[in-house]
Amino acid sequence: MIELHDVDKVFQRKGITTRALNNINLRVERGDIFGIIGYSGAGKSTLVRLINALETPSAGEVVINGQAIGDFNSKQLREMKKDIGMIFQGFNLLESKTVWKNVAIPLILAGKSKAFIAERVKELLQLVGLGDRAGSYPGELSGGQKQRVGIARALATNPSILLCDEATSALDPQTTGQILMLLKRISHEFNVTLVLITHEMSVIQKICNKVAVMEQGRIVEQGNVIDVFGHP
Ligand code: ADP
Ligand code: ADP
């Protein structure tokens, strides 16, 4: 579960103060597919970076699975980061490494044995439908296939939370639909909590059960998708 209590984030740069987040209160339950929608500059990425502990709040607290991030020691922080996977609009794959290696990297960094890694990577690539592409390089894949590699890599350490930052924004509508269905299946099969940042209403309507609407650093509406937006 993810909770934000009275969170502010203020950036100071070159004498300019930007209030990126203004009194954010948010509650994401285990297994939710939670959409965060808003225009560019609304504060969505900043919010996700706080959940992922890449930024610290200027005020308020971020609570992950019942514990405030601010109270974590460095070991707990490392454990927490393994429990949160991320996928990105630009995929962020290592272009000079094979699909296999891209997915294996989090497991190598986590110090897993060769036998464990071999088994797990195989399982992950099958899960995302790329069982036959282990030896390919990202440059040989389509956008949808690259994002499948991104998803496999994000799931490698078996996280309970997957943060998706405009994960389908670079994809055509048909591929977007396929990736969203894969994410939904993963959420249900492994009880993974999904947080999806998007500027596209169709993404919210397709798979989210809850939504927060952001404008200028504030959440202006939050709740069940059907209550906030009505039936599609
Ligand atoms: P979104 O993801 O919705 O496009 P962001 O969270 O990226 O919004 O940005 C929210 C606001 O905070 C913007 O005005 C942006 O310029 C500002 N901002 C984000 N990160 C920084 C930073 N590191 N330093 C200064 N300002 C920032
Ligand atoms: P590097 O990135 O150092 O060039 P490679 O990506 O070629 O390394 O592979 C490093 C190790 O990863 C290999 O020794 C092998 O054990 C494993 N490996 C790489 N590709 C595959 C694959 N397609 N199937 C199974 N194991 C692989």
Side-chain angles (χ1 to χ4, degrees):
M1 193 168 64
I2 306 163
E3 294 164 274
L4 277 77
H5 300 296
D6 303 325
V7 167
D8 291 347
K9 181 64 185 179
V10 179
F11 292 107
Q12 306 272 5
R13 202 161 49 183
K14 295 180 185 159
I16 299 168
T17 302
T18 307
R19 183 170 281 261
L21 296 177
N22 193 341
N23 194 36
I24 298 290
N25 286 283
L26 190 74
R27 186 185 173 87
V28 182
E29 311 273 358
R30 183 82 197 251
D32 272 348
I33 304 185
F34 199 109
I36 297 173
I37 189 165
Y39 294 117
S40 179
K44 306 182 298 295
S45 299
T46 303
L47 197 155
V48 159
R49 291 170 65 80
L50 286 171
I51 294 170
N52 209 7
L54 293 171
E55 301 273 6
T56 53
S58 309
E61 61 176 9
V62 180
V63 178
I64 305 288
N65 298 328
Q67 205 179 353
I69 293 182
D71 296 340
F72 285 167
N73 61 33
S74 56
K75 182 168 182 281
Q76 288 171 313
L77 209 53
R78 277 200 305 279
E79 288 302 316
M80 189 208 88
K81 290 194 176 199
K82 271 187 251 167
D83 193 41
I84 300 183
M86 276 215 74
I87 59 174
F88 308 91
Q89 176 170 11
F91 318 120
N92 294 19
L93 302 178
L94 297 172
E95 297 290 326
S96 67
K97 300 292 180 188
T98 61
V99 164
W100 191 93
K101 196 63 173 278
N102 270 279
V103 176
I105 280 170
L107 299 166
I108 295 168
L109 294 176
K112 300 294 181 189
S113 73
K114 278 197 166 173
F116 178 91
I117 293 172
E119 188 58 34
R120 181 76 180 135
V121 172
K122 193 173 165 192
E123 178 181 286
L124 287 160
L125 289 178
Q126 279 167 0
L127 173 73
V128 300
L130 291 177
D132 57 346
R133 300 308 296 265
S136 300
Y137 287 85
E140 299 163 352
L141 304 179
S142 68
Q145 289 172 327
K146 285 184 199 176
Q147 195 55 293
R148 288 170 188 273
V149 177
I151 292 168
R153 180 184 57 187
L155 292 175
T157 56
N158 206 16
S160 71
I161 297 168
L162 189 55
L163 303 177
C164 311
D165 189 351
E166 298 281 4
T168 56
S169 299
L171 305 175
D172 64 64
Q174 192 190 347
T175 308
T176 292
Q178 290 164 354
I179 294 294
L180 292 176
M181 285 312 120
L182 174 62
L183 289 172
K184 187 172 187 170
R185 179 158 72 81
I186 286 164
S187 167
H188 288 166
E189 222 166 285
F190 305 106
N191 195 24
V192 173
T193 306
L194 297 184
V195 178
L196 279 94
I197 291 189
T198 185
H199 63 280
E200 291 176 298
M201 180 68 99
S202 59
V203 169
I204 305 284
Q205 298 277 25
K206 275 204 183 79
I207 67 164
C208 295
N209 64 318
K210 303 237 186 81
V211 65
V213 182
M214 293 195 69
E215 273 175 27
Q216 298 180 6
R218 293 177 182 274
I219 292 179
V220 294
E221 278 194 86
Q222 180 175 184
N224 293 322
V225 171
I226 46 171
D227 296 333
V228 174
F229 293 125
H231 287 280

